[in-house]
Amino acid sequence: MKDYLIRVITTNKEIRALAVKSTDIVKEAQERHQTTPVATAALGRVITGALLTGSLVKSGDEVVLKIEGTGPAGKIVADANQKGEVRGYIENPNLDLYQTDSGKLDVAKAVGAGELSLTKIMKMKEPYTGSVPLVSGEIGEDLTYYFTASEQVPSAVGLGVLVDTDLSVKAAGGFIIQLLPDASEETIQMLEDNLTKVKSVSKLIESGMTPEELLEELLGDMDYRIMALKDVEFKCRCSRERSFELIAGLGKEEIESTLAEQGEIEVRCHFCNNTYTFEKEDVESIISELEIVENEIPEVDTEEIIFEKENNK
Ligand SMILES: [Zn+2]
């Protein structure tokens, strides 16, 4: 079964729900960043959370989910768009093995206290960021709190990653359930009962449960209408061309000293860990362009002086 996401609304219009299987995506993130188990779980949950949240925004918009905790994990960032493309990184991919008393990977301990922020990047509008303090560092609970506190939408979020003994990813997935304004007491009670039954999302995904079946666990026998059903993937927007443009931003002096010290310039993408290497001849056009720009500065000055003189006449 490939990774995909489903977004539905119940026919009584009381609940909006999303579920995703993200096993292959988290597997790719683990391989790209060479994360140790706790880092895999933390990053995988943030990536899965971003994927789900990215499906709640309008077409063309994007979200950036950021966890900034005081724990050894450091910053964890994932961005996703409405097309189901996601990418992400964790500042410290080599976390030690933190385990809870029951032997589970202790993501909360790795994340520590801090803040969760969600930025919505919208077309034709200024980006909007909402943030909340971390309530547990388990990511799913923190995202639940974000929706309730920052967006005033009562929600339940479940995110899970199951790591195998050989460090690879066995299963990953998640869900978001949101109460719409017309939700009845009866619906809320039924939902609460069902939520307590769903103990581990990743174990359900591992058992072969599809996102639709996961929603059936949560929504019981409520009928729903499918609003979106789409494939999701790990996809980064970096490229050799973009990296080349970044080099120009370093300035002539920095480019020349890096070339002198290292013989080449390496640009590494945080999000996907790809590296782009540029030799001296690759960046010669940048250097000569920067030379022209730097030589142009005195000309601008003279024009200004002439302008001032004319004003003083
Ligand atoms: Zn990249």
Side-chain angles (χ1 to χ4, degrees), residues 87 236-238 269 271-274 276:
R87 58 180 190 164
C236 195
R237 290 188 295 273
C238 68
C269 173
F271 280 99
C272 68
N273 226 7
N274 274 353
Y276 300 94

Side-chain angles (χ1 to χ4, degrees), residues 92-119:
N92 181 3
N94 307 308
L95 287 168
D96 291 338
L97 189 61
Y98 300 110
Q99 281 178 310
T100 61
D101 294 339
S102 56
K104 280 187 173 175
L105 296 172
D106 198 346
V107 170
K109 191 173 177 188
V111 169
E115 194 179 73
L116 174 152
S117 68
L118 187 79
T119 303

Side-chain angles (χ1 to χ4, degrees), residues 132 142-156 178:
V132 291
D142 302 303
L143 204 50
T144 299
Y145 181 65
Y146 165 83
F147 282 119
T148 311
S150 183
E151 300 202 353
Q152 277 92 47
V153 184
S155 308
Q178 296 191 317

